[in-house]
Amino acid sequence: RLGLKTTIFGKTIQYLESTDSTQKVAHQLAQEGCPDGTLVIAEEQTNGRGRLARNWHSPKYTGIWMSLVLRPKLPPAKAPQFTLIAAVAVARAIEDICEISPDIKWPNDLLLNGKKITGILTELQADSDKINAIIMGIGMNVNQKEQDFPKELHNNATSLAIETGKEISRSELVKRILENLEKYYLLYLEKGFAPLKLLWESYAVSLGKDIIARTISGNISGKALGITEEGVLKIEDQNGQIHKIYSADIEMK
Ligand code: BTN
């Protein structure tokens, strides 16, 4: 229906008018053994989930709320790289369709003018040594107007329509996201993470800057040096000590 030029991604599509969370539906399908590349996409989510147990505002017909099931034959330690691959694929899709270039804030936020345009939630179903499924959730603010955002999001979130002054075709964007994702996923399987790390770094805003990483075990401030081959963020504190950050919220100073 989308006229997709992909061979794996989006070959099986579950389209829903309304659901609580596409992420939840995709987890269920993965457990039932759905094929690699299965897409769950909804017009509205009544209980969209963000990282760190936050909720994700997903009003009807205005955004892209989708979750993709991936089944790479890889160890679970590789999973964080998929968030970065998704961020690059989505950033490129925004450039292709809207001719504006978003910034990526580690690990998964896409920003335009410092405000969030897309969030990515990568979740894992795995044994100790092998991935059963990666559930890659993508939430993109596309055609919302300023007044469609709840007050508390006004300073932090924006939409492609607000930033470009144009209504954007959601189906064109979904198509491009899936095509880019598949391209980068296959590149990753063939050549490893190195080429994607370079691409990711070309969009990253915080590299070389002073940041604060808020982690569950406390805050670390210092200079963002880059990401490792695993997709983990490296920060150098004022004593020259290097910290590896696996999960955090980043604030730029
Ligand atoms: C974040 O930045 O916190 C991640 C947001 C992820 C939102 C998407 S929307 C589609 C999928 N279903 C959900 O419930 N969440 C993700």
Side-chain angles (χ1 to χ4, degrees), residues 100-105 109-118 141 152-159 162-163 203 205-206 209 250-252:
I100 41 176
S101 183
D103 296 319
I104 301 178
K105 192 174 94 164
D109 287 356
L110 265 65
L111 310 178
L112 280 170
N113 295 320
K115 292 183 178 184
K116 189 147 158 175
I117 199 97
T118 298
N141 300 325
E152 67 273 18
L153 291 180
H154 275 181
N155 295 326
N156 305 323
T158 188
S159 75
I162 294 171
E163 298 303 319
Y203 289 101
V205 272
S206 41
K209 304 221 172 92
I250 302 299
E251 191 189 305
M252 287 188 269

Side-chain angles (χ1 to χ4, degrees), residues 19-24 40 45 47-58 64-67 108-110 116 118-123 136-140:
T19 187
D20 51 356
S21 159
T22 59
Q23 202 70 0
K24 198 174 126 192
V40 181
Q45 297 185 114
N47 194 17
R49 296 193 283 110
R51 285 172 69 232
L52 311 170
R54 295 190 187 118
N55 57 7
W56 181 262
H57 187 238
S58 325
I64 294 172
W65 325 124
M66 64 183 232
S67 300
N108 72 329
D109 287 356
L110 265 65
K116 189 147 158 175
T118 298
I120 296 163
L121 179 66
T122 312
E123 294 176 317
M136 187 186 275
I138 299 175
M140 185 187 281

